[in-house]
Amino acid sequence: MQTNELVVAGVPVDGVTVLTLNRPEKKNALSIALRDEVTAALQRLAADETVKVVVLRGAGGAFSAGFDLEEFARAAEEPGLYERIWASGDPYHRALLEFPLPLVAAVGGVALGGGMDTAVLCDLRIAAADARFGHPEAAFGDVVYAPLHDLVGGAAARELCLTGRIIDAAEALRLGLVNEVVAPEQLLERTLAVAGTIARAPRELLMRTKAKIIARAGVPFTRTLDL
């Protein structure tokens, strides 16, 4: 197992590895450092021939509370920080969407703002019954729109991105935002089972299928992945 302060990457078992956002004291808020570590970890995993599927989860009781608002607050007084936030954020989003193998999110607790985006940019999402999704930053910042539109359709995506309304796991399932809802204590086990089913296919076949998914998404890479 590779461990550092912010990310834990497990050794692949039967082609499946688990990548954990490891900042539980901040509800896995996506600081510049955490995003950069995830981006680097995904690059390493993409090159690892033993990896077929990656499960992405959060440590503690949250998936991710989103971008680190303390960094945005400091940006008003710290020269260059705002630029660094976006210089980190855009490659992070791209690393998720263009990861060449299947990504499965295990979403427990809050998945807000950039945390919701992180889940949306994965290929499948298994949610715990206590999961919550939303874009509270809609009142003061950009949201990632296009991938959400692909999942839930224009009417729902517009409403969620314009109002910032937070929804529970049951509504997320009805909208098609998540694929399945399970009890919190079953979340990791069930997500690993889904990942294991995917990993029965040869790695080369999974990469070809994922390439089709990426091509079909057709998301232009400007700020927050949208025009």
Side-chain angles (χ1 to χ4, degrees):
M1 177 176 289
Q2 297 176 341
T3 305
N4 60 35
E5 186 178 64
L6 299 174
V7 175
V8 177
V11 176
V13 177
D14 296 330
V16 178
T17 194
V18 178
L19 189 64
T20 303
L21 309 178
N22 190 35
R23 205 181 177 206
E25 74 284 358
K26 295 289 186 179
K27 294 186 178 180
N28 303 312
L30 299 168
S31 63
I32 292 171
L34 177 54
R35 292 197 305 277
D36 288 350
E37 288 290 346
V38 172
T39 300
L42 289 174
Q43 290 171 346
R44 292 193 298 270
L45 293 171
D48 186 340
E49 294 291 331
T50 67
V51 175
K52 293 182 177 182
V53 184
V54 172
V55 169
L56 185 62
R57 65 189 291 265
F63 182 70
S64 174
F67 275 32
D68 191 330
L69 296 184
E70 292 181 4
E71 288 185 342
F72 278 95
R74 292 192 350 250
E77 300 178 354
E78 187 174 327
L81 180 56
Y82 192 71
E83 288 73 19
R84 285 174 51 217
I85 290 171
W86 287 115
S88 170
D90 293 337
Y92 171 76
H93 290 141
R94 185 167 189 163
L96 289 165
L97 187 61
E98 289 193 339
F99 187 67
L101 292 160
L103 273 173
V104 184
V107 184
V110 295
L112 302 178
M116 178 173 173
D117 295 333
T118 297
V120 166
L121 289 167
C122 292
D123 298 296
L124 297 176
R125 286 147 297 281
I126 310 301
D130 64 354
R132 299 292 183 270
F133 300 85
H135 278 300
E137 80 280 17
F140 57 83
D142 290 323
V143 300
V144 175
Y145 176 79
L148 179 63
H149 181 119
D150 267 2
L151 286 181
V152 303
R158 291 168 190 168
E159 192 251 334
L160 293 174
C161 288
L162 290 172
T163 67
R165 184 170 68 87
I166 295 173
I167 63 173
D168 62 17
E171 184 171 359
L173 182 63
R174 289 197 300 272
L175 291 175
L177 176 59
V178 302
N179 302 93
E180 191 173 337
V181 176
V182 299
E185 63 272 17
Q186 298 173 341
L187 177 61
L188 183 57
E189 179 183 3
R190 178 57 187 156
T191 306
L192 289 172
V194 171
T197 299
I198 296 169
R200 293 181 302 178
R203 188 175 192 270
E204 296 75 15
L205 177 58
L206 292 172
M207 292 184 74
R208 290 199 299 272
T209 301
K210 185 61 185 283
K212 296 173 185 178
I213 293 170
I214 295 168
R216 178 63 182 85
V219 177
F221 284 102
T222 57
R223 180 166 293 182
T224 66
L225 303 183
D226 299 314
L227 291 174

